[in-house]
Amino acid sequence: MTFLRKAFQYCLFTAAASVGSVSFSQYNGAVEPPEHLAPGYHAMTEEQSREWLGILAGPVFEGRGTGQLGYVRAAHWVAGKVAEFGLEPKGEAGTYFQFLPVTRQTIDATQSEIVGAADLKIPGTDFGLDRFINQAEIAGKLSFVKLVGNAPKVEDNLRDRIVICVTDEQNAGRATFMLARQRPAAVLRVVETAPSSAPQLRRPRSNPTGTTGTITKQAATKIAEASGLSADWLNVKADDSTSLNATEADLTLKLRIRDEPVAVPNVLAWIPGSDPELRHEYVVIGAHLDHLGNQGGIVYPGADDNGSGSTAILNIAKAMSQNPVKPKRSVLFTWFAAEEVGLVGSAYYCDNPLLPFEDMVCMLNIDMVGRNEEKPQEPASENEDSLHLVGSKKGDLALHDAIEKANKHVNLAFEFDEEGVFGRSDQANYYRKGISVAFLFGGFHPDYHQPGDKPEKINYKKLVSAARLFYLTAHFAADHGRFVMPKDEKQAEKTE
Ligand SMILES: [Zn+2]
């Protein structure tokens, strides 16, 4: 199907070429952009995209992880670029940033302890938590659990109990997960090595429900003896089976949790519309800037996800600022934070908008437009010029039509079969607010969420084409005005 379409468009291209578009380097079949938008269109280049994405997905920003210095550096770098292009800051207090209320919580081991009856005291250096609820005291009745063998089952109810568990090697990795399903107050797995607590990001819409961690054998032995259990029970022997020992002893984790703010900003920049009557209305163009960052020393550069989208909309920002003709309505560019941890940056913006939603024309989102989709039955070579256009038929179809109109000047091969990913990027939060949206997505490939998602594997022509498509679409949309959701139409009908 794609092949036939391309052959047909090649005929169109040769016809167009014969009327003299010599330096036009878009996909075959594309026609020159409208003259008044041409300077901006041609200001978006592969060369500049390669340079910018090389920085965004390069060593300095270390994969732009939420809560990591690399993300903060990337956000500042983007702010620096848009300032250089002359875009206005639209974040908080005259800056380009909207800071999410994220904190890093760490447990101060020197001021934490576990206490029980008869002066039982375990110092904070003898246990560590990798996940914890935001509570200085976690108390409950004490249970001991031993998990051994294949598919061990604990029949008793552990709800609200403090559980100390010992396991054989086979169950060490999954024990806390298995026990957490019974909703204990806390699970501490006995380990031979010195435990330490992992810092934890506390962010909007996240609410850990359990506390899990590890405890030294020595400390567990002390607790066992204090509650009347023989220390030998904690040893796993060859003929052991899964067992449980519920005690009546009370145990309390006293935690000194330190809470420090972490910089996790959305980046917002604005190009004012040319029409003074209409410029309070605006088109939103978005891309998430964050990726998976540095995880245990392994950097996930996220060149495609979503260095590509971040670079694409940076191209659009520069193009619009340089094009002599501005859109009638304004354009708000948003580089979202914390998308990879659950669309957090866009959710926070939608809950705390800095501009009225009723003035929003539409939202155009770009996430992963730098690679050729690759599936077992679909080699990458078949997807040189294809992108998925997602969600554009869920709202006002006039927006979809505007994208099709823009695509005459780009000629990407659209695919419309990936609606299943609609909820997996930032436009979903705007759609929920009643905004017509469109999401440009390149599809998955073997480097998705892998350390191999590197700049040298990017298809820069496709990236620039995505930018050109939404540059034109944003102009058309900004001249059109608000796209009305079909739901709104029905409501309007009812009230008429
Ligand atoms: Zn992404």
Side-chain angles (χ1 to χ4, degrees):
M1 203 172 82
T2 317
F3 178 73
L4 282 176
R5 190 170 159 260
K6 275 180 194 159
F8 167 68
Q9 280 158 353
Y10 185 73
C11 302
L12 283 180
F13 175 73
T14 47
S18 66
V19 295
S21 56
V22 179
S23 63
F24 191 53
S25 63
Q26 198 44 59
Y27 294 123
N28 288 355
V31 295
E32 284 271 9
E35 210 173 307
H36 70 289
L37 302 179
Y41 179 102
H42 292 294
M44 293 176 270
T45 66
E46 291 182 35
E47 194 187 7
Q48 113 187 331
S49 302
R50 189 172 281 115
E51 183 198 325
W52 292 346
L53 185 50
I55 296 167
L56 281 171
V60 177
F61 299 161
E62 279 201 307
R64 311 174 306 282
T66 297
Q68 299 180 359
L69 183 58
Y71 179 79
V72 184
R73 285 179 170 152
H76 278 79
W77 181 82
V78 169
K81 293 308 281 183
V82 289
E84 177 191 321
F85 305 150
L87 274 72
E88 295 177 9
K90 255 328 184 212
E92 292 155 347
T95 72
Y96 290 103
F97 305 121
Q98 179 189 39
F99 287 95
L100 278 54
V102 179
T103 62
R104 177 179 289 104
Q105 294 193 319
T106 45
I107 291 178
D108 183 344
T110 63
Q111 292 187 47
S112 300
E113 58 186 6
I114 294 175
V115 296
D119 290 334
L120 173 71
K121 254 191 182 56
I122 304 295
T125 45
D126 275 358
F127 67 96
L129 303 179
D130 41 50
R131 206 162 148 260
F132 49 96
I133 59 168
N134 192 20
Q135 216 169 282
E137 281 199 12
I138 301 168
K141 296 281 182 201
L142 172 65
S143 282
F144 289 91
V145 172
K146 186 180 282 184
L147 291 176
V148 290
N150 292 321
K153 260 206 177 105
V154 181
E155 303 294 348
D156 277 45
N157 190 0
L158 295 173
R159 199 178 179 100
D160 297 332
R161 285 192 157 252
I162 308 280
V163 179
I164 291 178
C165 83
V166 287
T167 71
D168 56 11
E169 225 168 88
Q170 190 182 350
N171 289 289
R174 56 183 177 175
T176 44
F177 173 75
M178 285 167 55
L179 297 172
R181 279 186 263 174
Q182 297 199 29
R183 299 182 173 240
V187 177
L188 297 172
R189 190 170 59 84
V190 177
V191 291
E192 304 287 343
T193 49
S196 67
S197 293
Q200 180 168 288
L201 287 185
R202 192 161 299 279
R203 50 177 204 260
R205 293 189 180 189
S206 81
N207 199 7
T209 49
T211 296
T212 60
T214 51
I215 186 165
T216 60
K217 179 110 184 246
Q218 190 192 12
T221 302
K222 231 170 128 183
I223 295 171
E225 282 170 344
S227 65
L229 185 72
S230 94
D232 189 48
W233 192 89
L234 296 176
N235 296 318
V236 177
K237 297 170 210 93
D239 58 346
D240 259 340
S241 57
T242 288
S243 54
L244 182 132
N245 208 308
T247 78
E248 280 310 304
D250 291 302
L251 208 65
T252 304
L253 277 66
K254 291 187 165 185
L255 306 174
R256 176 75 175 89
I257 301 173
R258 299 202 182 280
D259 218 344
E260 40 170 10
V262 178
V264 183
N266 289 325
V267 183
L268 296 119
W270 177 262
I271 292 186
S274 60
D275 187 329
E277 300 283 307
L278 299 174
R279 67 165 62 124
H280 63 285
E281 295 178 3
Y282 58 98
V283 170
V284 175
I285 301 179
H288 75 85
L289 178 62
D290 68 299
H291 190 55
L292 305 175
N294 181 331
Q295 296 188 16
I298 298 169
V299 173
Y300 292 74
D304 185 35
D305 188 8
N306 184 27
S308 66
S310 297
T311 301
I313 76 167
L314 196 56
N315 270 283
I316 303 172
K318 185 183 174 191
M320 279 193 176
S321 67
Q322 289 189 349
N323 199 71
V325 178
K326 302 289 181 252
K328 282 186 197 160
R329 292 170 180 80
S330 302
V331 179
L332 175 66
F333 291 88
T334 310
W335 285 265
F336 295 108
E339 190 267 1
E340 300 286 12
V341 292
L343 316 187
V344 174
S346 56
Y348 183 73
Y349 182 87
C350 288
D351 289 344
N352 304 274
L354 299 171
L355 294 163
F357 260 95
E358 55 267 28
D359 288 339
M360 198 184 292
V361 171
C362 63
M363 195 275 185
L364 307 173
N365 188 42
I366 302 185
D367 192 354
M368 296 169 64
V369 290
R371 290 287 291 268
N372 299 346
E373 184 175 39
E374 195 175 338
K375 295 176 180 173
Q377 16 17 327
E378 199 179 325
S381 56
E382 278 182 18
N383 289 309
E384 265 311 308
D385 63 350
S386 65
L387 285 179
H388 298 274
L389 180 58
V390 182
S392 59
K393 294 178 182 169
K394 289 170 89 81
D396 189 337
L397 287 177
L399 175 60
H400 179 82
D401 293 344
I403 299 168
E404 293 278 25
K405 186 179 147 195
N407 196 36
K408 290 199 170 68
H409 309 290
V410 181
N411 208 23
L412 282 156
F414 285 146
E415 293 180 30
F416 302 102
D417 56 351
E418 283 273 14
E419 294 293 323
V421 300
F422 182 78
R424 291 174 60 176
S425 194
D426 298 304
Q427 78 290 333
N429 287 320
Y430 288 75
Y431 179 74
R432 255 179 243 122
K433 285 276 186 177
I435 302 296
S436 289
V437 300
F439 166 30
L440 214 48
F441 167 64
F444 298 104
H445 49 78
D447 289 313
Y448 171 71
H449 281 204
Q450 296 298 323
D453 183 4
K454 293 179 174 174
E456 56 265 33
K457 296 180 185 170
I458 293 294
N459 175 345
Y460 285 95
K461 179 157 184 170
K462 185 182 279 188
L463 190 162
V464 170
S465 300
R468 288 178 169 170
L469 179 80
F470 271 3
Y471 163 77
L472 295 174
T473 304
H475 263 278
F476 299 158
D479 290 353
H480 172 283
R482 184 170 169 110
F483 293 93
V484 183
M485 292 286 274
K487 195 177 69 188
D488 295 359
E489 271 170 20
K490 274 183 211 142
Q491 280 167 350
E493 277 167 26
K494 273 184 205 158
T495 52
E496 264 168 21

